[in-house]
């Protein structure tokens, strides 16, 4: 039966009265001179961070914002981000961290949906926010601007001045572990994003169960995450995990291009080289194909983590061959806050997503809702202490996703004889070809093993007879060549014959989410219109 529960971890639950921001500040109170965050403007020590967080808390409460009311956090990754996020939580308010790559229409929806009472925004993003405020019927009391790039209006205040105008709040709001702590919007492949409500206790559990117990992060580490702080993955990587162990984090406002990533890995910011690098498969592929790829002697990484999409085995093996460091692949979600199924730093099985993280259970269920046998594909459900409380204002989706103690992931998996789990694609992406399920990811992972292929995406298309056939969209590496027949033969040689793509279309790029996940639904829509 494809049900697995890991050994219970030796982690004590938080006390009943628990404020996560207070927990992090008190945990690091003994080493105030140690750098907590480094961005392009400089370093922020743990002592400076604590003072700024507490002053931010005073200022936000001084605006008349009440306990559990929301504040929108629309900021690029920088030293001000943790100050704002933790300052709101410390005050008992609920920060709503949102994607910085969206449109004014998206932000107008989020302002109305969250009923945010204030907005914390980066200067370069202020014009987009202003357009959203004009579109929205919701009134916001104050806009606080980090690093403004233009003169501010009367309803706007510069963040630095806002912090200096307020004395530190020495006593955190008396929240409980189950109280709403913050929101994260799911990226969502279709429709409006859903606001996942997380408690104060949830990041405590994910930081201890995964960051500390599984990845073994320590005070000596310097962390760098290509995934941004507004993502659940990035929030753990670059804030909750390192702060829980007293480590240092390098923050990057710009896009995680290969060159921008290399600059940080080589110590070009703050003069320190990361020891832990958190990335995603798309980014690793881009790094390995880039002419400026540094050698393993030039970097100081001891641990590399991957999530966001399943890691193809060939990509992990090529990364290890070059850098001498394995990529620890895992799967998490906005709903579960971080990774709950993962390989281990000391035991990596490429081609699988590893084992359940200690403290979590996983179960694979068939279409009838019953557990499936090992080796059979099933829908992945997980149970653990970091699950979101609900989707705000969406009872139907909440009941569909949060089923008792279990959370439905929306992913297909197979459990292997060694207890590891192999990814089979998103549940709504699975294809039935000739009456047999085909995983788009399996075909994609095979295609990118060809030396000419950089990326691939596979969808189902309906032929003249009304039958489903596979079609692949392929991006070739710069300067490389390969024919459609060559790639078809390559896949046939490695997979069961019925799985090879019947049609291959060469494209210059694939549609993706801001996290780098391939948006197959856009390819399907494109085909439907053709």
């Amino acid at each position: 039966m494809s049900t697995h529960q890991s050994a219970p971890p030796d982690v004590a639950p938080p006390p009943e009265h628990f404020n996560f921001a207070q927990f992090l500040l008190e945990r690091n109170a003994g080493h105030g001179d140690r750098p907590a965050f480094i961005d392009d403007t400089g370093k922020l020590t743990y002592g400076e961070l604590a003072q700024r967080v507490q002053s931010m808390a005073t200022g936000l409460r001084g605006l008349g914002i009440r306990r559990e009311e929301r504040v929108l956090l629309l900021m690029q990754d920088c030293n001000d981000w943790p100050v704002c996020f933790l300052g709101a939580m410390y005050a008992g308010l609920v920060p709503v961290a949102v994607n910085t790559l969206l449109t004014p229409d998206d932000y107008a929806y989020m302002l109305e949906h969250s009923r945010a009472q204030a907005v914390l925004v980066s200067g370069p993003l202020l014009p987009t926010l202003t357009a959203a405020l004009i579109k929205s019927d919701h009134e916001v009391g104050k806009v606080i601007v980090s690093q403004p790039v233009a003169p501010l209006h009367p309803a706007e205040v510069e963040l630095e001045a806002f912090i200096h105008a307020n004395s530190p709040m020495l006593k955190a709001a008396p929240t409980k572990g189950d109280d709403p702590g913050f929101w994260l919007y799911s990226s969502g492949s279709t429709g409006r994003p859903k606001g996942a409500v997380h408690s104060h206790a949830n990041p405590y559990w994910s930081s201890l169960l995964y960051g500390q117990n599984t990845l073994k992060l320590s005070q000596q580490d310097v962390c760098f995450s290509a995934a941004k702080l507004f993502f659940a993955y990035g929030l753990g990587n670059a804030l909750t995990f390192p702060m829980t162990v007293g480590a240092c984090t390098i923050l990057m406002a710009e896009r995680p291009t290969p060159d921008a990533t290399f600059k940080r890995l080589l110590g070009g910011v703050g003069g320190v080289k990361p020891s832990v690098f958190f990335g995603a498969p798309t980014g690793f592929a881009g790094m390995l194909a880039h002419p400026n790829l540094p050698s393993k002697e030039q970097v100081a990484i001891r641990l590399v983590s991957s999530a966001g999409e399943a890691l193809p085995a060939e990509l992990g093996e090529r990364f290890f061959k070059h850098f001498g460091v394995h990529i620890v692949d895992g799967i998490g979600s906005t709903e579960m806050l971080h990774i709950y199924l993962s390989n281990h730093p000391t035991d990596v099985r490429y081609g699988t997503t590893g084992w359940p993280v200690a403290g979590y259970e996983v179960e694979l269920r068939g279409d009838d809702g019953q557990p499936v046998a090992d080796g059979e594909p099933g829908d992945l459900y997980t149970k653990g202490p970091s699950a979101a409380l609900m989707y705000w204002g969406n009872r139907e989706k909440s009941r569909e996703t949060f089923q008792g103690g279990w959370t439905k992931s929306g992913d297909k998996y197979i459990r292997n004889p060694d207890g590891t789990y192999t990814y089979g694609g998103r549940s709504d992406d699975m294809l039935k070809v000739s009456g047999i399920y085909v995983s788009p990811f399996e075909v994609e992972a095979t295609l990118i093993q060809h030396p000419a292929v950089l990326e691939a995406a596979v969808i189902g298309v309906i032929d003249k007879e009304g039958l489903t056939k596979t079609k692949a969209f392929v991006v070739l590496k710069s300067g490389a060549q390969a024919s459609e027949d060559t790639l078809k033969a390559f896949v046939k040689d490695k997979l069961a014959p019925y799985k090879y793509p019947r049609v291959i279309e060469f494209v210059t790029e694939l549609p993706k989410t801001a996290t780098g996940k391939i948006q197959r639904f856009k390819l399907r829509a494109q085909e439907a219109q053709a």
Side-chain angles (χ1 to χ4, degrees):
M1 183 180 293
S2 290
T3 305
H4 186 99
Q5 179 176 8
S6 52
D10 185 23
V11 176
E16 180 186 1
H17 289 275
F18 181 75
N19 182 296
F20 183 69
Q22 179 186 26
F23 164 77
L24 290 181
L25 298 189
E26 290 181 349
R27 201 169 174 90
N28 293 288
H31 40 81
D33 293 335
R34 182 180 297 125
F37 296 96
I38 302 173
D39 67 7
D40 289 339
T41 68
K43 296 181 181 180
L44 183 66
T45 67
Y46 273 103
E48 293 166 337
L49 174 66
Q51 187 171 35
R52 290 172 70 83
V53 164
Q54 292 173 326
S55 295
M56 172 60 68
T58 300
L60 290 172
R61 289 298 291 272
L63 294 177
I65 306 175
R66 296 170 295 183
R67 284 273 302 276
E68 294 187 17
E69 289 186 324
R70 274 74 62 192
V71 294
L72 199 77
L73 179 54
L74 173 59
M75 292 179 62
Q76 297 168 335
D77 283 20
C78 65
N79 291 347
D80 287 339
W81 205 105
V83 170
C84 294
F85 184 81
L86 295 175
M89 291 187 73
Y90 191 89
L93 312 182
V94 179
V96 180
V98 298
N99 189 330
T100 58
L101 305 174
L102 303 179
T103 67
D105 283 342
D106 294 317
Y107 298 131
Y109 168 77
M110 291 172 174
L111 286 165
E112 293 169 2
H113 182 247
S114 67
R115 299 194 281 275
Q117 299 300 300
V119 182
L120 303 154
V121 62
S122 290
L125 300 173
L126 183 57
T128 306
L129 173 67
T130 301
L133 290 169
I134 293 171
K135 287 175 175 286
S136 172
D137 293 330
H138 176 71
E139 291 187 11
V140 170
K142 184 69 72 174
V143 175
I144 302 166
V145 186
S146 166
Q147 300 173 19
V149 294
L152 300 180
H153 296 295
E156 301 162 352
V157 61
E158 197 257 335
L159 186 142
E160 200 63 31
F162 184 77
I163 289 175
H164 284 298
N166 292 281
S167 58
M169 180 188 292
L170 299 181
K171 187 176 180 181
T175 54
K176 293 186 176 182
D178 285 342
D179 286 351
F182 58 95
W183 290 17
L184 297 173
Y185 277 99
S186 65
S187 54
S189 58
T190 58
R192 289 292 194 182
K194 301 180 290 292
V197 181
H198 280 284
S199 71
H200 275 266
N202 284 3
Y204 168 89
W205 286 112
S206 64
S207 297
L208 293 180
L209 294 177
Y210 193 66
Q212 188 168 297
N213 282 14
T214 302
L215 296 184
K216 307 297 184 185
L217 299 181
S218 76
Q219 195 177 95
Q220 285 70 45
D221 279 316
V222 176
C223 298
F224 171 56
S225 175
K228 300 299 184 180
L229 283 163
F230 59 76
F231 295 122
Y233 180 47
L235 180 63
N237 303 342
L239 197 159
T240 68
F241 289 7
M243 284 195 69
T244 295
V245 299
C248 174
T249 299
I250 295 172
L251 296 176
M252 178 174 72
E254 63 186 299
R255 289 178 55 247
T257 62
D259 279 328
T261 300
F262 298 155
K263 179 181 178 181
R264 275 77 188 174
L265 294 179
L266 293 170
V269 174
V272 295
K273 295 181 180 182
S275 59
V276 182
F277 175 47
F278 299 89
T282 299
F284 297 135
M287 289 169 60
L288 292 173
H290 200 277
N292 297 334
L293 180 67
S295 67
K296 66 178 180 181
E297 291 78 19
Q298 292 177 287
V299 301
I301 48 176
R302 70 166 187 85
L303 175 66
V304 179
S305 167
S306 179
E309 55 185 336
L311 178 75
E314 182 269 347
L315 188 56
E317 288 159 359
R318 278 200 291 129
F319 191 96
F320 177 73
K321 184 177 180 180
H322 182 84
F323 285 107
V325 180
H326 280 299
I327 298 176
V328 180
D329 185 35
I331 184 173
S333 67
T334 303
E335 291 76 10
M336 293 301 294
L337 189 54
H338 213 277
I339 290 171
Y340 53 83
L341 180 66
S342 178
N343 282 271
H344 292 262
T346 56
D347 193 356
V348 171
R349 309 280 175 92
Y350 285 130
T352 81
T353 316
W355 303 264
V357 171
Y360 293 86
E361 294 178 60
V362 300
E363 184 171 282
L364 302 185
R365 300 178 187 173
D367 293 340
D368 59 359
Q370 297 302 308
V372 300
D374 287 357
E376 294 293 324
D379 292 306
L380 178 68
Y381 287 74
T382 184
K383 180 190 290 186
S386 62
L389 303 175
M390 61 177 166
Y391 295 129
W392 181 265
N394 196 333
R395 188 179 186 191
E396 180 183 355
K397 287 292 184 182
S398 294
R399 293 177 70 174
E400 182 181 314
T401 301
F402 306 107
Q403 302 180 11
W406 293 94
T407 299
K408 184 178 181 180
S409 73
D411 295 291
K412 288 277 189 184
Y413 266 87
I414 293 174
R415 187 170 187 260
N416 304 310
D418 62 355
T420 60
Y421 288 76
T422 297
Y423 181 65
R426 293 290 295 172
S427 298
D428 54 4
D429 283 335
M430 291 292 284
L431 307 174
K432 217 166 194 180
V433 179
S434 301
I436 308 171
Y437 274 118
V438 174
S439 161
F441 174 76
E442 183 182 23
V443 183
E444 292 163 3
T446 303
L447 279 166
I448 69 166
Q449 292 178 40
H450 192 282
V453 176
L454 177 63
E455 294 179 322
V458 173
I459 65 169
V461 295
I462 306 301
D463 66 11
K464 295 176 182 177
E465 284 74 39
L467 301 174
T468 299
K469 304 296 182 185
T470 49
K471 176 175 180 177
F473 295 82
V474 171
V475 180
L476 296 177
K477 294 176 182 175
S478 178
Q481 292 184 337
S483 70
E484 184 174 1
D485 288 342
T486 298
L487 295 183
K488 287 180 179 178
F490 183 80
V491 175
K492 283 182 181 179
D493 186 54
K494 294 182 177 293
L495 298 178
Y498 69 88
K499 295 183 179 181
Y500 85 93
R502 302 312 197 267
V503 181
I504 295 178
E505 181 178 331
F506 294 98
V507 295
T508 56
E509 62 180 355
L510 298 173
K512 296 172 188 169
T513 67
T515 49
K517 295 179 184 177
I518 295 170
Q519 294 174 308
R520 296 185 190 86
F521 76 94
K522 288 189 175 181
L523 296 173
R524 289 194 290 266
Q526 174 185 310
E527 283 298 301
Q529 294 172 0

